[in-house]
Amino acid sequence: MMATVAARELRDGEVVFVGIGLPNLACNLARATHAPRLLLIYESGAVGAEPERLPVSIGDPSLVTGSLMVCGMADVFQFLLQNGRIEVGFLGGAQIDRYGNINTTVVGSYDAPTVRLPGSGGAAEIAIHARRTVVISRLSRRAFPDSVDFLTSPGHRMRGRTRADLGMPGAGPVRVVTDKGILEPDPETGELVLAALYPSTTVDEVRAGVGWPLRCRETLREVEPPGDEDLRLLRDVLDPHGLYLRS
Amino acid sequence: MMATVAARELRDGEVVFVGIGLPNLACNLARATHAPRLLLIYESGAVGAEPERLPVSIGDPSLVTGSLMVCGMADVFQFLLQNGRIEVGFLGGAQIDRYGNINTTVVGSYDAPTVRLPGSGGAAEIAIHARRTVVISRLSRRAFPDSVDFLTSPGHRMRGRTRADLGMPGAGPVRVVTDKGILEPDPETGELVLAALYPSTTVDEVRAGVGWPLRCRETLREVEPPGDEDLRLLRDVLDPHGLYLRS
Amino acid sequence: MRDAVAALVRDGDTVVIEGFTHLICFAAGHEIIRQRRRDLTLCRLTPDLIYDQMIAAGCARKLVFSWAGNPGAGSLHAFRRAVEKRDPPLELEEYSHFGMVARLCAGAARLPFWTLRDYMGTDLPTANPRIRSVTCPYTGEALATVPALNPDVTVVHAQRADAQGNTQIWGLLGVQKEAALASRRVIVVVEELVDQSVIRADPNRTIIPGLAVDAVVVEPWGAHPSYAQGYYDRDNDFYVGWEPISRDSAALKGYLDEFVHGVRDRSEYVERCGGLDRLRAASRVCAGVNYGY
Amino acid sequence: MRDAVAALVRDGDTVVIEGFTHLICFAAGHEIIRQRRRDLTLCRLTPDLIYDQMIAAGCARKLVFSWAGNPGAGSLHAFRRAVEKRDPPLELEEYSHFGMVARLCAGAARLPFWTLRDYMGTDLPTANPRIRSVTCPYTGEALATVPALNPDVTVVHAQRADAQGNTQIWGLLGVQKEAALASRRVIVVVEELVDQSVIRADPNRTIIPGLAVDAVVVEPWGAHPSYAQGYYDRDNDFYVGWEPISRDSAALKGYLDEFVHGVRDRSEYVERCGGLDRLRAASRVCAGVNYGY
């Protein structure tokens, strides 16, 4: 479901900075359905990849063979990402807060963390430079605290300061795709509010998975469930071994 | 003669930043004689070139075919020259002054020049970064003024300041090869003094071609004339059409 | 080419036609002259014959450069007349090669400046106040800076590209990648338009991604009298022959009338040159590499 | 490999073994473990399994990195134990990928810092005070900086090189070129040693010039369980299988005893793995290009 919803965020012909896992699935689903001309860029340096197998890592050899261009990472970050060429970036994380800030660094304090997470990787600069980002994460109070333990990737409001205050080129997270509904930033405050619900889920179920008093849009959209074709592609073609798909 | 003398400045295995014309001849003569392992780097991006013909320009295709590496110019200037990998750089110019400063920009004032010269090209950074440079130029009062009209490539003393004062990595011009003798910087003052004379030339002849009261080393070396083999190589093999060799 | 220039090159633009000796797109320069573009700010490390012609043709208001000579053959006399005799007047902004390269790196990285260790002791920063300095936040030392160069339009000549502009170049690479990615609009001119499968078969050869390219023009011999590795050699006789032509403004005007204004397009130019087969490249094809896994 | 590591890697060194997923030189990491090097400052964008093993083996005093996970398979538990339980203690210096790339660019350019538009609003500069800022001398805006990284020794794995170390890589290039040129000493490890004529036949493929290389080591399968495009595939099962091993320090010690300390060299390691032919690459050879003129 999340992969399908994320796929719908992509328009044909867009340039997407792809992470591994669900985002990768979403991009390949979009390419297989409504966005055949989607251009996939991986931070590893593969541009216009057309992997013949589902890549397990963002540096998989299948991303290179048959791609349009392979360049060094200095070019990827300076001449493509910082250059402003990336239209959509996908992000995920252990913690996403009220303003769409993401933590992939530590749970607890930086110097004595209870859980040490991998760190930023390219996430900080993707969050800053991609023209817009889409965040994917399953709802839970642990995953959606009121504020993150460590701010790895900026959202819409960082200690009271906006992206504009801080001179960030990109628009930040325009959608947060969860397993129950879709959150979107309030245009005024940048606070994440509930914008759409999946079929047969309730506002209370979503609120139960969020660590702040979640507000709702006046009118909540209902999210279309995945079509049979989407499900067939995901289960039989794109992730036959269920590498990323659980439900 | 100048090509032969310049060639002798090169030790086998050294990394040389080659300019076109006489320097190019000198390098190829050195490779054909005492320095077969000389590594030639051209600012155009060709590394380890082994041209099968005498290149007319530093971007000649013969410098690419069969070379060890071709890289972009950002890599040449940042990762090779500024990185400190260049051991010897050759320079020439319309004006060379008392302290080995070179002018390849204008004769007269910058805003209303009587003669507009090509400009720096890579000379300014070669003069600054090459571990040492060798300057080649024919003697004349016009070519060797007391001080240059425009300082394009720094020598040993720029308005009273030394290379050390200005934090220049390279040692600057250690030899100025002319058509009558060799000038070298005074270790104390950096002023160019006569260090060696070609056979059957006199100190006065050299002084006549220099725009400042030229001092001499206590003991003047006599420069060995080119051997027959050198002359054969230059005339029959390296520059058969006399592209660069006049006398 | 006519349509690409008409659509993408405008009076007053900052224009880069790059290529260091290799792949200099004379075809684009000639079309810009034919379409009588005016008040252009022309930027190149080495103005070369192409900008000498464009200056003579009255296209240029300003020149941004680092070495203005005729490599191995003499001077660019239209350039010199403009500077020495103000005929016509030409504004100059001058750097060294490293400075120009650094300006394009900053442009491609979309940073306002680039840092380099250069220019100490020289008169260049006096002649060009846009060469400044910055203090290192770690060592406290002063380093030189140059401002980003972000052209309105960049023309890159290449051996081959696909219809979307995914462009492959081998041999000297110059600063084409940086110039293209620094530019608002990009025209790629190729010796050969190839199927995308050719590009995808060897992705490490791709220098410019199609996502940065606005137009792809197929123009064989488009770089003459410069060269295209693997396609044709540099026409050194032409470079040597340029010296007397460019020395004499009447002769130069005559050249432009005959070889630029006097031809409709590149194929007519090649005819007018009496064909260029004498320059066709010998075959030195390298082996391929394995992209399998 | 034994001699190269003995001669060029010293206790207390700052060591970079680069390669982004592709061409990670496990052979060098294992030899460093076998030679019981200590107090190393290990730098990599992605510590990956190789640094997890070196941390577990007690080689590391400090880790400089930007993403410490097991790609697509879980955590690096030796790294996590060191950070979460100080077992053993490990000093951290943390950046983002762009920050690490920029540090190596500065190192290769021999500048003290590099400028990037990054980190605003994040907690990274608080966690790492070496992330600073500089004011643009043209626009007055503040931009982020990172300090140059100049390793004592860098190990680069490549598909092929000649005896002088002129090194050709295709497929993902990561930051190998920058790391090698930033380093005081460089070890190149190759799948194949080739005659210099092979390098000269396709000079645009050369990523690292021999003038920067101190030792060339021939070590087929030297990047396993990572991969070498055109030679062998990534051993994803090994990466998945690492999760339980690395979770349990006894199992991890057992792994090191058997596959690192328990073998004399790489060929014994390959035997110990029961051969790796299942990973051998299929053939997808591209066409060559013409370097003639």
Side-chain angles (χ1 to χ4, degrees):
Chain A
M1 181 74 181
M2 291 165 78
T4 318
V5 175
R8 294 181 188 145
E9 293 299 323
L10 301 168
R11 304 180 203 116
D12 197 16
E14 284 192 308
V15 178
V16 189
F17 214 71
V18 191
I20 216 59
L22 276 181
N24 185 60
L25 259 185
C27 292
N28 285 292
L29 178 61
R31 274 182 56 232
T33 53
H34 67 283
R37 289 173 38 257
L38 207 60
L39 187 77
L40 309 188
I41 297 184
Y42 292 78
E43 67 187 7
S44 55
V47 175
E50 289 187 350
E52 291 168 358
R53 69 182 182 199
L54 186 70
V56 178
S57 110
I58 54 171
D60 195 86
S62 65
L63 299 174
V64 165
T65 314
S67 67
L68 287 171
M69 172 166 106
V70 176
C71 61
M73 292 179 77
D75 287 0
V76 172
F77 284 104
Q78 298 189 106
F79 295 169
L80 295 175
L81 182 58
Q82 187 170 259
N83 184 289
R85 303 285 176 172
I86 307 301
E87 289 166 294
V88 191
F90 279 103
L91 295 170
Q95 295 183 337
I96 295 135
D97 76 13
R98 184 173 195 147
Y99 292 105
N101 299 308
I102 300 177
N103 172 18
T104 54
T105 304
V106 289
V107 176
S109 76
Y110 185 77
D111 294 322
T114 54
V115 181
R116 173 65 222 202
L117 304 165
S120 165
E125 37 268 4
I126 293 167
I128 287 167
H129 287 284
R131 300 219 200 121
R132 69 182 195 272
T133 59
V134 174
V135 180
I136 307 183
S137 179
R138 288 168 195 283
L139 285 170
S140 83
R141 298 236 161 193
R142 235 185 62 268
F144 286 79
D146 181 58
S147 95
V148 288
D149 294 356
F150 187 97
L151 203 164
T152 313
S153 308
H156 293 289
R157 193 169 280 271
M158 291 62 61
R159 296 197 192 61
R161 303 178 69 194
T162 66
R163 296 180 68 90
D165 296 339
L166 295 163
M168 293 188 203
V174 296
R175 299 270 191 293
V176 178
V177 175
T178 76
D179 51 333
K180 294 195 169 60
I182 300 174
L183 311 183
E184 292 175 2
D186 176 285
E188 306 302 309
T189 64
E191 179 179 323
L192 295 179
V193 300
L194 182 60
L197 271 178
Y198 291 179
S200 66
T201 54
T202 68
V203 172
D204 288 347
E205 286 180 76
V206 176
R207 286 200 165 119
V210 171
W212 67 88
L214 180 70
R215 298 194 288 104
C216 299
R217 287 271 163 84
E218 289 69 13
T219 55
L220 286 182
R221 302 194 308 273
E222 160 130 352
V223 179
E224 276 283 309
D228 300 348
E229 176 59 4
D230 295 337
L231 293 174
R232 190 190 63 77
L233 281 166
L234 287 169
R235 295 188 180 137
D236 305 349
V237 182
L238 299 170
D239 188 16
H241 310 307
L243 227 43
Y244 301 120
L245 295 171
R246 276 156 264 173
S247 67
Chain B
M1 181 73 180
M2 291 164 78
T4 317
V5 175
R8 294 180 188 143
E9 293 299 323
L10 300 167
R11 304 181 202 112
D12 198 16
E14 283 192 310
V15 178
V16 189
F17 213 70
V18 190
I20 217 59
L22 277 181
N24 185 61
L25 258 185
C27 292
N28 285 293
L29 178 61
R31 276 183 55 231
T33 53
H34 66 284
R37 289 174 38 258
L38 206 62
L39 187 77
L40 308 187
I41 296 184
Y42 292 78
E43 68 187 9
S44 55
V47 175
E50 289 188 351
E52 291 168 359
R53 69 182 182 197
L54 186 69
V56 178
S57 112
I58 55 172
D60 195 89
S62 66
L63 299 174
V64 166
T65 313
S67 66
L68 287 171
M69 172 165 107
V70 175
C71 61
M73 292 180 78
D75 287 0
V76 172
F77 284 103
Q78 297 189 105
F79 295 169
L80 295 175
L81 182 58
Q82 187 171 258
N83 184 290
R85 303 284 177 173
I86 307 301
E87 289 167 291
V88 190
F90 280 102
L91 296 170
Q95 295 183 337
I96 295 134
D97 76 13
R98 185 173 193 148
Y99 292 105
N101 299 308
I102 300 177
N103 171 18
T104 54
T105 303
V106 288
V107 176
S109 77
Y110 184 78
D111 294 323
T114 53
V115 181
R116 173 64 223 203
L117 304 165
S120 164
E125 38 267 2
I126 293 167
I128 287 167
H129 287 284
R131 300 219 199 122
R132 70 181 195 273
T133 60
V134 174
V135 180
I136 307 182
S137 179
R138 288 168 194 284
L139 285 170
S140 83
R141 297 237 162 191
R142 234 185 64 268
F144 286 81
D146 182 58
S147 95
V148 288
D149 293 356
F150 187 98
L151 204 164
T152 312
S153 307
H156 293 289
R157 194 168 280 272
M158 289 61 63
R159 295 196 193 62
R161 304 178 68 191
T162 67
R163 297 180 66 90
D165 296 340
L166 294 164
M168 293 187 203
V174 295
R175 299 272 192 291
V176 177
V177 176
T178 76
D179 51 334
K180 294 193 170 60
I182 300 175
L183 311 183
E184 292 175 3
D186 176 285
E188 307 302 307
T189 64
E191 178 179 322
L192 295 179
V193 301
L194 183 60
L197 271 178
Y198 291 178
S200 66
T201 54
T202 69
V203 172
D204 288 347
E205 286 180 76
V206 176
R207 286 204 166 115
V210 171
W212 67 87
L214 182 69
R215 297 191 292 104
C216 300
R217 287 270 163 85
E218 291 69 11
T219 54
L220 286 182
R221 300 194 310 272
E222 159 129 351
V223 179
E224 275 283 308
D228 300 348
E229 175 60 3
D230 294 339
L231 293 174
R232 190 190 64 75
L233 281 166
L234 286 170
R235 294 186 180 140
D236 305 350
V237 181
L238 298 171
D239 188 16
H241 312 306
L243 227 43
Y244 300 121
L245 295 172
R246 275 157 262 172
S247 64
Chain C
M1 180 64 83
R2 187 178 297 106
D3 306 348
V5 167
L8 298 169
V9 184
R10 299 156 197 174
D11 288 351
D13 273 356
T14 295
V15 177
V16 168
I17 302 177
E18 255 311 329
F20 192 85
T21 317
H22 185 213
L23 298 170
I24 302 172
C25 195
F26 280 78
H30 286 182
E31 185 58 33
I32 290 169
I33 292 172
R34 267 194 296 273
Q35 295 192 21
R36 306 194 182 280
R37 287 287 176 280
R38 290 295 177 265
D39 300 316
L40 302 179
T41 294
L42 298 177
C43 313
R44 261 181 72 78
L45 276 66
T46 59
D48 204 87
L49 274 47
I50 185 57
Y51 281 5
D52 206 37
Q53 294 173 7
M54 292 172 78
I55 290 165
C59 302
R61 180 185 69 73
K62 179 177 180 179
L63 180 70
V64 182
F65 73 107
S66 47
W67 193 83
N70 178 349
S75 293
L76 303 175
H77 292 282
F79 159 77
R80 285 187 56 183
R81 276 190 295 276
V83 179
E84 296 168 6
K85 307 199 167 48
R86 310 227 178 292
D87 163 29
L90 179 69
E91 192 184 331
L92 296 188
E93 185 176 328
E94 182 166 7
Y95 299 85
S96 64
H97 279 348
F98 192 5
M100 284 295 286
V101 168
R103 292 198 66 194
L104 289 166
C105 288
R110 293 298 198 267
L111 290 175
F113 72 100
W114 205 254
T115 305
L116 59 166
R117 196 184 299 278
D118 207 352
Y119 302 124
M120 56 282 249
T122 76
D123 287 339
L124 283 157
T126 317
N128 179 358
R130 302 200 73 200
I131 297 172
R132 298 182 188 168
S133 79
V134 71
T135 303
C136 172
Y138 303 93
T139 63
E141 70 195 294
L143 292 150
T145 62
V146 291
L149 174 53
N150 288 105
D152 294 306
V153 58
T154 288
V155 179
V156 168
H157 197 88
Q159 282 104 334
R160 66 190 185 195
D162 66 22
Q164 273 126 68
N166 295 291
T167 303
Q168 299 193 326
I169 297 177
W170 58 95
L172 299 179
L173 304 176
V175 289
Q176 277 94 317
K177 174 180 66 181
E178 293 80 2
L181 287 162
S183 195
R184 288 175 191 80
R185 305 185 289 273
V186 176
I187 300 173
V188 167
V189 183
V190 291
E191 291 296 319
E192 276 189 276
L193 185 70
V194 296
D195 186 88
Q196 191 166 88
S197 61
V198 173
I199 302 297
R200 290 189 181 273
D202 193 359
N204 282 97
R205 289 239 191 253
T206 306
I207 301 298
I208 300 167
L211 63 91
V213 176
D214 298 283
V216 179
V217 177
V218 186
E219 206 74 283
W221 301 101
H224 175 269
S226 89
Y227 71 100
Q229 196 93 35
Y231 289 78
Y232 45 90
D233 195 358
R234 187 166 186 266
D235 191 346
N236 290 319
D237 297 343
F238 187 99
Y239 275 83
V240 172
W242 185 250
E243 175 67 16
I245 295 174
S246 114
R247 221 179 239 296
D248 167 353
S249 32
L252 179 38
K253 182 180 177 311
Y255 173 84
L256 294 177
D257 289 343
E258 182 176 1
F259 289 89
V260 182
H261 295 298
V263 299
R264 214 182 302 93
D265 56 22
R266 196 62 178 173
S267 59
E268 271 193 31
Y269 167 88
V270 175
E271 271 173 51
R272 190 66 55 93
C273 293
L276 297 167
D277 286 339
R278 65 193 162 84
L279 297 169
R280 203 177 287 282
S283 176
R284 284 281 292 266
V285 179
C286 68
V289 298
N290 186 11
Y291 278 96
Y293 54 86
Chain D
M1 179 65 83
R2 187 179 295 107
D3 306 349
V5 167
L8 298 169
V9 184
R10 299 156 197 172
D11 288 352
D13 272 357
T14 295
V15 177
V16 168
I17 302 176
E18 255 311 329
F20 192 84
T21 317
H22 185 211
L23 299 169
I24 302 172
C25 195
F26 281 77
H30 286 182
E31 186 58 34
I32 290 170
I33 292 173
R34 266 195 297 275
Q35 296 193 21
R36 304 194 182 280
R37 288 285 177 281
R38 291 293 178 264
D39 301 317
L40 302 178
T41 294
L42 298 177
C43 314
R44 260 181 72 79
L45 276 67
T46 59
D48 204 88
L49 275 46
I50 185 57
Y51 281 4
D52 206 38
Q53 294 174 7
M54 292 172 79
I55 290 165
C59 302
R61 180 185 70 73
K62 179 177 180 179
L63 180 69
V64 182
F65 73 106
S66 47
W67 193 84
N70 178 348
S75 293
L76 304 176
H77 292 283
F79 158 77
R80 284 186 57 182
R81 275 190 296 278
V83 179
E84 295 168 7
K85 306 199 167 50
R86 309 226 178 291
D87 165 25
L90 179 69
E91 191 183 330
L92 296 187
E93 185 176 328
E94 182 167 5
Y95 299 85
S96 64
H97 279 349
F98 192 6
M100 284 295 286
V101 168
R103 291 197 66 194
L104 289 166
C105 288
R110 293 298 197 270
L111 289 175
F113 73 99
W114 205 254
T115 305
L116 58 166
R117 196 185 298 280
D118 207 353
Y119 302 125
M120 56 282 247
T122 77
D123 287 338
L124 283 158
T126 316
N128 179 358
R130 302 199 72 201
I131 297 173
R132 297 183 188 166
S133 77
V134 71
T135 303
C136 172
Y138 303 93
T139 63
E141 70 195 296
L143 292 150
T145 62
V146 292
L149 174 54
N150 289 105
D152 294 307
V153 57
T154 288
V155 179
V156 168
H157 197 87
Q159 281 105 335
R160 66 190 185 195
D162 66 22
Q164 274 127 67
N166 295 292
T167 303
Q168 299 192 328
I169 298 178
W170 57 95
L172 298 180
L173 304 176
V175 288
Q176 277 94 315
K177 174 181 66 183
E178 293 81 1
L181 287 162
S183 194
R184 286 175 194 81
R185 305 185 289 274
V186 175
I187 301 173
V188 167
V189 183
V190 292
E191 291 296 320
E192 275 188 275
L193 185 71
V194 295
D195 186 86
Q196 190 165 90
S197 60
V198 174
I199 302 297
R200 290 188 182 274
D202 193 0
N204 282 96
R205 288 238 192 255
T206 307
I207 301 298
I208 299 167
L211 62 92
V213 176
D214 298 283
V216 178
V217 177
V218 186
E219 205 75 281
W221 301 100
H224 175 269
S226 89
Y227 71 101
Q229 196 92 34
Y231 289 78
Y232 43 91
D233 195 0
R234 187 166 186 265
D235 191 345
N236 290 319
D237 298 343
F238 187 99
Y239 276 83
V240 172
W242 185 251
E243 174 67 17
I245 296 173
S246 122
R247 221 177 238 297
D248 168 352
S249 31
L252 179 37
K253 183 180 177 311
Y255 173 83
L256 294 176
D257 290 343
E258 183 177 358
F259 288 89
V260 182
H261 295 298
V263 299
R264 215 181 303 94
D265 56 23
R266 196 62 178 175
S267 58
E268 270 192 34
Y269 167 88
V270 174
E271 272 172 50
R272 191 65 56 91
C273 294
L276 297 167
D277 286 339
R278 63 189 164 86
L279 297 169
R280 204 176 287 282
S283 176
R284 284 282 291 264
V285 178
C286 68
V289 299
N290 185 11
Y291 278 95
Y293 54 87

